[in-house]
Amino acid sequence: MLTPISFRDACKFTGYNHRHNQPPPAHKFSIGLEATGKLVGVVMVSRPPNRNSDDGVTLEVRRLTTDGTKNACSKLYGAATRAAFAMGYQRVITYTLSKEGGSSLRAAGFIPEAETTRNPCWGIRAGRWGGQQLRLDGRDTIPQGNKVRWVKFVNG
């Protein structure tokens, strides 16, 4: 079941459960997904940090985190895009590592738009998308490698 979730609670879930990233610094909205009364996933959506994408009609899925519950990712991507389009936004974008398949994104109606070798925020070439940052448990918070930009349009 989809449920509203506060930024604070979404950050807490993401901080504990995301494979490689910390929570983003802000959001427009977040949506939780519960199964049998337990939070199993969170999607966090915000304005794109890339000024070229921040055109007033685009939002970006900054984090999507689950505990591995089947179909949770697709449900959350779908809920995020429906909410964004209901608010009048025209497109939603997100980025994945190029080594990630994107089956949940495809199931939610996203299409791959481009593979980028630059950080869309800071213009740094592929490899590292920013400075060295490690989580408290030692995992890298900024994964290395190229990214794929995915897009879903309001009428697509």
Side-chain angles (χ1 to χ4, degrees):
M1 175 174 77
L2 296 171
T3 183
I5 189 168
S6 69
F7 179 69
R8 182 179 187 168
D9 289 342
C11 286
K12 184 176 179 182
F13 186 88
T14 298
Y16 285 120
N17 293 290
H18 199 280
R19 286 193 310 254
H20 51 71
N21 280 325
Q22 299 247 10
H27 78 159
K28 281 276 190 187
F29 65 88
S30 294
I31 301 170
L33 180 66
E34 291 183 353
T36 61
K38 176 186 168 206
L39 186 64
V40 297
V42 169
V43 62
M44 301 178 79
V45 182
S46 68
R47 290 175 44 200
N50 177 349
R51 67 178 179 219
N52 295 320
S53 295
D54 189 12
D55 55 10
V57 296
T58 301
L59 286 181
E60 181 175 333
V61 173
R62 294 293 306 279
R63 296 290 182 278
L64 189 134
T65 309
T66 73
D67 66 358
T69 297
K70 187 174 181 172
N71 299 323
C73 292
S74 298
K75 288 177 185 176
L76 287 165
Y77 279 126
T81 55
R82 286 190 305 274
F85 297 153
M87 288 188 280
Y89 290 94
Q90 299 297 306
R91 75 180 191 141
V92 176
I93 61 172
T94 192
Y95 292 85
T96 61
L97 298 173
S98 59
K99 64 184 176 184
E100 296 173 317
S103 59
S104 295
L105 286 157
R106 290 179 204 283
F110 281 80
I111 57 170
E113 185 176 48
E115 184 162 349
T116 179
T117 57
R118 291 187 170 272
N119 178 325
C121 302
W122 302 293
I124 297 172
R125 291 215 174 267
R128 195 163 279 296
W129 274 39
Q132 176 74 15
Q133 294 182 8
L134 296 178
R135 294 168 58 114
L136 294 177
D137 61 8
R139 288 184 284 167
D140 194 346
T141 63
I142 302 175
Q144 297 179 347
N146 293 348
K147 309 293 187 275
V148 176
R149 183 175 59 239
W150 297 81
V151 64
K152 183 173 181 179
F153 295 96
V154 69
N155 295 324

